[in-house]
C-alpha cells in the first residue's frame, strides 16, 4: 500500500527528510494526551511511521472520513 516506506532504508530517509515535521507532530500529540510517546524498536522507523500515520489521521479528520 505504501511502496515508499517498505524497508528501513526507506523509513530512515523519510525520517531524515521530515524530521522537523515529525517532531512537531510528536510534540502536539504528547501535549494533547499529556504523556510522552513510547517508541520501541528502530526509532527512525517507528517515528517515520508515526509521522505518516498521524498525518493520514489528521487528513482524514479534516476531510471527515471515518477511519
Amino acid at each position: 500500500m505504501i511502496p515508499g516506506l517498505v524497508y528501513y532504508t526507506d523509513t530512515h530517509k523519510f525520517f531524515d527528510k521530515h524530521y522537523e515535521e515529525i517532531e512537531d507532530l510528536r510534540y502536539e500529540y504528547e501535549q494533547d494526551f499529556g504523556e510522552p510517546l513510547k517508541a520501541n524498536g528502530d526509532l527512525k522507523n517507528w517515528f517515520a511511521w508515526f509521522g505518516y500515520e498521524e498525518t493520514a489521521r489528521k487528513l482524514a479528520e479534516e476531510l471527515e472520513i471515518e477511519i
Side-chain angles (χ1 to χ4, degrees), residues 32-66:
D32 289 347
F33 290 95
E35 59 184 62
L37 284 172
K38 294 182 175 136
N40 58 21
D42 184 289
L43 294 179
K44 282 188 174 186
N45 182 67
W46 196 95
F47 277 106
W49 276 105
F50 166 76
Y52 182 86
E53 291 172 353
E54 184 64 9
T55 299
R57 184 193 66 75
K58 286 179 167 224
L59 285 172
E61 191 176 90
E62 285 181 28
L63 297 171
E64 298 179 358
I65 298 171
E66 189 173 322

Side-chain angles (χ1 to χ4, degrees), residues 2-65:
I2 303 142
L5 295 176
V6 175
Y7 302 104
Y8 282 141
T9 55
D10 301 329
T11 58
H12 287 197
K13 286 179 191 174
F14 183 87
F15 175 85
D16 292 339
K17 182 177 181 179
H18 299 287
Y19 173 76
E20 293 295 327
E21 294 94 338
I22 292 169
E23 277 296 292
D24 291 343
L25 288 169
R26 180 194 61 79
Y27 179 79
E28 184 179 320
Y29 187 93
E30 290 177 345
Q31 293 301 307
D32 289 347
F33 290 95
E35 59 184 62
L37 284 172
K38 294 182 175 136
N40 58 21
D42 184 289
L43 294 179
K44 282 188 174 186
N45 182 67
W46 196 95
F47 277 106
W49 276 105
F50 166 76
Y52 182 86
E53 291 172 353
E54 184 64 9
T55 299
R57 184 193 66 75
K58 286 179 167 224
L59 285 172
E61 191 176 90
E62 285 181 28
L63 297 171
E64 298 179 358
I65 298 171

